[in-house]
Every structure is written in structure tokens, then in C-alpha cells.
Amino acid sequence: MSTQVTFRIWRGEKGAGQLRDYTTEISSGMVVLDAVHRIQATQANDLACRWNCKAGKCGSCSAEVNGKPRLMCMTRMSDLPADKPITIEPLRAFPHLRDLVTDVSWNYDVKKKIRKYQPRKPDNPDGTWSMEQDDIDRVQEFRKCIECYLCQDVCHVLREHGLHPDFIGPRFLVYSAALEMHPADTADRLPDLKNDLGIGYCNITKCCTKVCPESIAITDNAIIPLKERVVDRYYDPIKRIFRAITGSGGD
Amino acid sequence: MSTIHVPVTRNGFGRTSRPDAWWVVPLLTFLGLGAFVVYVTWAAFQGVHYRFGPYLSPLYSPEIFGDPRTAWFGGKPDWFPSFLPFTPALLVLWAPGGFRFSCYYYRGAYYKAFWADPPSCAVGEPRKSYCGEASFPLILQNIHRYFLVVALIFLPILWHDVWEGFWFDTGFGVRAGSLILLVNTILLTGYSLGCHTLRHQIGGILDQLSRRPIRKQGYRMASCFNRSHMLWAWTSLFSVAFSDLYVRLCSMGIWTDWRIF
């Protein structure tokens, strides 16, 4: 069965533009990206839209569907109200290029600033490391990230306050957590997280967790544990005294 | 950090493309937390009707100073400043209050509901400036770990109150109040054991948890409670207020404490 649905799509370049209405036919099983492609094919050949895998794994088709950051390829039409126009806008936290396409290269720049993985000396004579599965399981969750940047887009520190120069955003706090909690890693990222990467700006409103298409518990498993490590190091006077006396990490 | 300039288009307070009722959750949070704070403040200043039979209201536990017949150290101490109001609750409520106020879940919830920072996800905010928890005053939220320690000390005391709540003049028995105090303490225990800070201190701090089997089990337990931390937080919040209300109304003779056996 098919129905006619109206889409209100942002058209324009470099921030300037407007929402334009397109009505197209929707059939069962379609996702928002299918509808955008149909509009592109039949009504707006010049509509710019980034996409690739159509399977929720490349993170290219991120947009704001009815005001919420989502992957267009994973948003089923059956989950949206068909009786009202469906709004599709580009990500708001990054510079707009054209129509639904934004420039997310700020994220690539930020990633370079995070200290790289620095393994301890190999555990075995053949130059390999031994790790328990339990220890790896914790960081494995973070490796599900597809870098769609929906979490960056919804984070109000970036989206509303534009603190891009001071705050790396949830995606890169997850990346930092994956490295910092890795059982074989020896690099110390806590001074960077406190001073340059801006972990203190996160006020744990969990919007990043809610929009993650990979269901990574960003706030509970990555950001808060990192915040706690920073508190251990810098804001806990008893631990500081303990470290000064014993010379240990205080754990 | 990055040399790429990212221009930001501010939305304006409440502006969003979301067509759903995004304001419902922050409004319910505002009403729920607001009602709790108002009730607990009122109840804490009463200083009466906090005991009924073997029951002690959780807002007044432990009764360090108070009724000379039941308090640990007798009546109001002489050294207590006369210009300050005195009730047993005011001596202890700072601890669970501070624990909840600095809790990671509640922080996120009340920043949205009371401070609109943000009002809801992807909704415009009223203020341009923002410091987050990076500087004063919100950097003080890092005190949470100390409140956790005090909250953990309170737990066995509350469990002792539960035990006391099953012993009446006629011996062991089960009444509605006994079960209400029991459920309340179960919920408070679940809330405390799921604390993010506890989870971190038990095992989250370690990268090679498998080398510490006891801490690994503790970390698993805390993670299990932590997954439903929001649920524990809300249910325990209401159960604390309801337990006090139950004891209070029974003590005032308005409600009858039903005997089960």
C-alpha cells in the first residue's frame, strides 16, 4: 500500500536557504533516505545529500529528521507520522555546504589532537601481548562507533554554545575512553582531557546516548568514567594525599 | 584545539524542529523533583510524628539527637546554636540530599528541567554563555564521591530500621508499614549500589580488571544496578517521601497501619 507524504527539505548553500516542500509516494518498508532518493530522482535532481552504505554502518547520511539527529537510512517511514510534513535538515553543529550536506572535517582535525595508542612492552617473546577477554570487552563497545557525528550534532555544548575550540564532543570522548581504558595502553590522556579537550564542559544530559545509532552507552560507559578518572587525579584531595604518601595511583 | 572555524546558528529559547511534545519529560522532572523538595523540606522542619510504633521515618534516620527516649545520644544538645531550628531530620538530611543533588543522573535531569541547559535534546536554550562543570560553581559537583561514602554508611542503619519495623509490642509481625519501609530500603540500596562513582571506585578505575577477581565481581554488580540507575533514582525518591508520609499519617491517627500477620 502506498501513501502520499510531504517532505520539508532544507535547500540552500552555506547556511542560507529555506525549507521547500516535496510530496512523494511512500510504500511499505521505505526509509527516509529512500524518500529523499525518490525526490532527487523525480523532482529535485540537484538535491545534495551524502550517503553510501544504506545499512547504518558508514555514518554518511546523518541529518535532522523532524528535528532529531538521525541516520536517514535507519529511519523507517512507518515510525514517522505520515499525516504531517516531515522536516529534513542538515546537521546544525557543523558548517553548512549545500542542501543536506555539511562539512564535518572539524572532527577529523580534533581526532588528530588525541594522544595515540601507546602499548606497553610486548608480554611475550614473539612480540605479542596477552589480554583477558573481560578487559577488552569494555572498550569493544566503543569500537562500534561509525563516526556518524549525530552525538556531536545533538550535544548542546557544540550545537548551541559553539565551544568547538574548547570541547571535543561526545564522539571523541568515546574515542579517548577506548584508548584510555585499553588494557595494554600506557599513554596518559587525563591532563589533556581536563585542560585542552574540555571534558568538564559535558553536563551529562545524555542526548548523545539517545541519538547513537549503535546504542553505545556514551554517557554512562565513556564520559562519566573519564570524568571520574579526572576527579581522581585533580579534584579528590584524599587521593592526592594518598598518592603523595605512597607514590601510587591511589586505586 | 582545531584551526577550523565552525560558525554556530543559535536557535533561540525553545526553538526546535521537533514536532513531538519534547517539553513533557522536563516538565514532569520539574514537578517531580520540585514536589519532593517541597515536601521533604516541610517534613524535615516538623520535628514531630516521625515515629509510629517501631517505625522511624527514613527522613529522620538515624535519629542522632531528638527524642531523649529513642535518639542515639538523647535530646537536643546544649551546644546546638539556639538561633538555628532543630529537628533530628535537619541533622542528617544534608547527606542523602547532597548525594542526590550531586548524582550524575539527577544532574543531567535538573540541568534540563530547572535550568533549561538544554531544555531538551536539540531544543534552543535561553542563555548564550556556558561553563558546564568545568568551573565554579558546578565544578563542586565532584564532591559526589564523599557524599557516596556517607550514603553507604546510612544503608546499614536503614536496614536496621527495617528490622526494627517487624518487631511490635506483641512480638514479630508484618504490617503494611513494615513492608513499606522494607521496599523503601531495597530501592535506596539499589540506587546507592548503582552509583556511577561507586562503579568507578570498585573497578572502573582499573584497565586490567581481570587481575582483581573480587573487584571484577563488584564492578559487574555495580554495572548491573547502574544500567537502571534512573529507575532506581525515581522509585527510591518517591518511596522515601511516601514512607515518611505513611509514618506521619499513622502517627497522626489519620491512617491505620494494616496488620498482615
Side-chain angles (χ1 to χ4, degrees), chain B residues 205-253:
Chain B
I205 195 171
L206 301 170
D207 292 339
Q208 297 185 72
L209 200 51
S210 58
R211 293 184 178 181
R212 310 276 185 95
I214 294 173
R215 290 179 72 171
K216 187 172 90 173
Q217 290 307 321
Y219 180 74
R220 282 188 173 169
M221 179 210 68
S223 298
C224 182
F225 283 109
N226 182 264
R227 276 189 281 277
S228 306
H229 198 46
M230 182 181 83
L231 185 66
W232 291 110
W234 279 109
T235 50
S236 62
L237 188 85
F238 285 115
S239 75
V240 166
F242 182 72
S243 300
D244 177 82
L245 183 70
Y246 187 86
V247 172
R248 188 169 297 282
L249 292 182
C250 287
S251 169
M252 293 167 78

Side-chain angles (χ1 to χ4, degrees), chain B residues 110-130:
Chain B
Y110 68 70
Y111 289 149
K112 282 181 178 169
F114 286 80
W115 199 240
D117 209 2
S120 189
C121 301
V123 177
E125 296 180 21
R127 285 168 296 275
K128 288 181 185 171
S129 62
Y130 178 78

Side-chain angles (χ1 to χ4, degrees), chain A residues 113 138 201 207 228 232 236, chain B residues 1 121 130 145-146 206:
Chain A
K113 313 287 185 208
R138 183 157 60 142
Y201 281 107
C207 293
E228 282 293 312
D232 280 338
D236 186 338
Chain B
M1 180 197 305
C121 301
Y130 178 78
R145 55 186 54 201
Y146 294 114
L206 301 170

Side-chain angles (χ1 to χ4, degrees), chain A residues 1-248:
Chain A
M1 204 179 94
S2 62
T3 51
Q4 295 286 316
V5 175
T6 299
F7 290 84
R8 205 159 269 175
I9 301 177
W10 184 264
R11 301 300 310 270
E13 284 191 41
K14 308 220 164 169
Q18 59 184 340
L19 290 167
R20 236 180 260 173
D21 285 0
Y22 300 92
T23 301
T24 193
E25 194 174 286
I26 297 301
S27 47
S28 83
M30 280 179 75
V31 293
V32 169
L33 185 60
D34 293 326
V36 169
H37 281 164
R38 184 167 284 179
I39 290 166
Q40 206 177 33
T42 59
Q43 302 175 53
N45 301 148
D46 60 342
L47 172 62
C49 159
R50 198 179 269 141
W51 69 285
N52 195 350
C53 75
K54 258 193 89 178
K57 289 297 164 197
C58 73
S60 302
C61 64
S62 302
E64 298 195 3
V65 180
N66 275 351
K68 285 185 184 172
R70 304 177 101 158
L71 292 179
M72 289 194 285
C73 72
M74 299 304 285
T75 308
R76 291 177 177 276
M77 286 303 305
S78 55
D79 292 339
L80 300 172
D83 56 332
K84 293 176 188 160
I86 292 165
T87 308
I88 308 177
E89 296 165 282
L91 301 182
R92 198 182 284 271
F94 304 112
H96 184 231
L97 293 177
R98 191 175 160 208
D99 299 337
L100 299 179
V101 179
T102 49
D103 174 9
V104 294
S105 56
W106 173 81
N107 294 285
Y108 312 145
D109 218 25
V110 168
K111 197 171 191 177
K112 291 177 196 159
K113 313 287 185 208
I114 297 167
R115 276 175 209 268
K116 300 289 174 276
Y117 175 65
Q118 200 177 305
R120 62 175 183 252
K121 284 182 184 167
D123 301 327
N124 307 313
D126 61 355
T128 59
W129 288 266
S130 302
M131 284 174 262
E132 293 290 328
Q133 187 62 45
D134 277 347
D135 297 333
I136 284 295
D137 281 345
R138 183 157 60 142
V139 293
Q140 204 65 27
E141 178 189 12
F142 307 138
R143 298 180 70 88
K144 291 193 297 178
C145 177
I146 58 173
E147 298 206 323
C148 60
Y149 304 128
L150 294 180
C151 57
Q152 303 283 75
D153 182 54
V154 81
C155 175
H156 73 123
V157 182
L158 301 174
R159 177 192 184 90
E160 281 288 316
H161 299 289
L163 288 172
H164 297 73
D166 307 312
F167 180 59
I168 57 175
R171 159 57 196 141
F172 297 108
L173 290 174
V174 167
Y175 181 65
S176 301
L179 296 169
E180 191 64 23
M181 297 176 189
H182 194 287
D185 178 71
T186 58
D188 181 9
R189 295 172 192 81
L190 296 184
D192 296 344
L193 283 164
K194 174 183 174 279
N195 299 318
D196 304 324
L197 308 181
I199 194 168
Y201 281 107
C202 172
N203 69 342
I204 45 188
T205 51
K206 286 199 170 186
C207 293
C208 50
T209 304
K210 286 176 188 159
V211 300
C212 180
E214 287 292 324
S215 302
I216 301 171
I218 298 174
T219 317
D220 290 327
N221 290 348
I223 298 178
I224 292 175
L226 285 181
K227 271 179 169 269
E228 282 293 312
R229 287 181 182 212
V230 169
V231 178
D232 280 338
R233 175 79 61 87
Y234 296 103
Y235 301 117
D236 186 338
I238 293 178
K239 283 219 168 186
R240 291 184 84 152
I241 292 168
F242 185 80
R243 268 198 307 274
I245 294 170
T246 65
S248 77

